[in-house]
Amino acid sequence: TAGAAAETIYVSGTVDLEVTTALEDVTLVDATTFTGALTIKADSNGVAKDVVVIGGDGDDTVDFSDGWEVGDSFTGGAGTDTLGITYAVAQAAAAGTTSGIEVLDITDNASSTGTIDMDNFAGIEKVILNKGLAGGATVVTIGDAVTGLEVEADLDTAASGSLVIDLKN
């Protein structure tokens, strides 16, 4: 997956696949026929390329912490699919596009006061603040949340902050 690696990866079969190294040169991961759980780390940060990931029938997880940009996309399949992005990216205006994604995983510490506008993440049923909230006066708002949205804040330190869920209607 490093150096002059393949730009396109087709995944098939039934056994779960996890690739922990960022796929630096890959611009397409197509797991349309894959029935296992796919877990990968995409990488489009600082590079003029678009990364497209198409999930299969399993519970697919794509970590775009190394860049989630306007031309990037993640289309989920039949399983419960998860998009991983940083807190800063989640707060910004909509970047890449998603379809069929049920979980938004904030992969780093929510380290500043800000709002994640759920209008930018249509169809998301669960938000995970994977590293929790920074301490002190930090206020993290999940804005325009729809009824039924589940929010999980994991704490990996003793730090505390405030979490506000602002319903759309």
Side-chain angles (χ1 to χ4, degrees):
T1 60
E7 293 180 5
T8 302
I9 296 175
Y10 293 96
V11 182
S12 62
T14 60
V15 178
D16 295 351
L17 174 64
E18 179 178 8
V19 180
T20 57
T21 304
L23 301 173
E24 295 176 1
D25 295 323
V26 176
T27 57
L28 172 65
V29 176
D30 185 342
T32 306
T33 63
F34 186 54
T35 58
L38 176 66
T39 302
I40 62 170
K41 185 167 185 162
D43 183 1
S44 71
N45 187 31
V47 179
K49 68 176 179 181
D50 299 331
V51 177
V52 175
V53 179
I54 305 166
D57 287 345
D59 296 339
D60 301 322
T61 299
V62 181
D63 183 345
F64 272 94
S65 294
D66 286 342
W68 175 245
E69 298 162 353
V70 173
D72 297 332
S73 69
F74 178 22
T75 303
T80 300
D81 302 307
T82 302
L83 169 67
I85 57 176
T86 65
Y87 178 62
V89 171
Q91 291 180 82
T97 58
T98 61
S99 174
I101 308 304
E102 292 81 20
V103 179
L104 176 63
D105 181 10
I106 306 304
T107 59
D108 61 347
N109 191 300
S111 58
S112 62
T113 295
T115 299
I116 299 172
D117 185 351
M118 294 309 295
D119 284 342
N120 294 332
F121 302 100
I124 295 292
E125 300 168 359
K126 181 177 185 176
V127 175
I128 301 172
L129 297 167
N130 205 334
K131 301 290 183 178
L133 309 173
T138 300
V139 178
V140 176
T141 301
I142 308 295
D144 290 327
V146 295
T147 301
L149 178 71
E150 181 180 347
V151 178
E152 175 183 321
D154 296 334
L155 298 177
D156 64 345
T157 66
S160 63
S162 298
L163 177 62
V164 176
I165 311 297
D166 182 16
L167 292 175
K168 185 174 187 75
N169 297 316

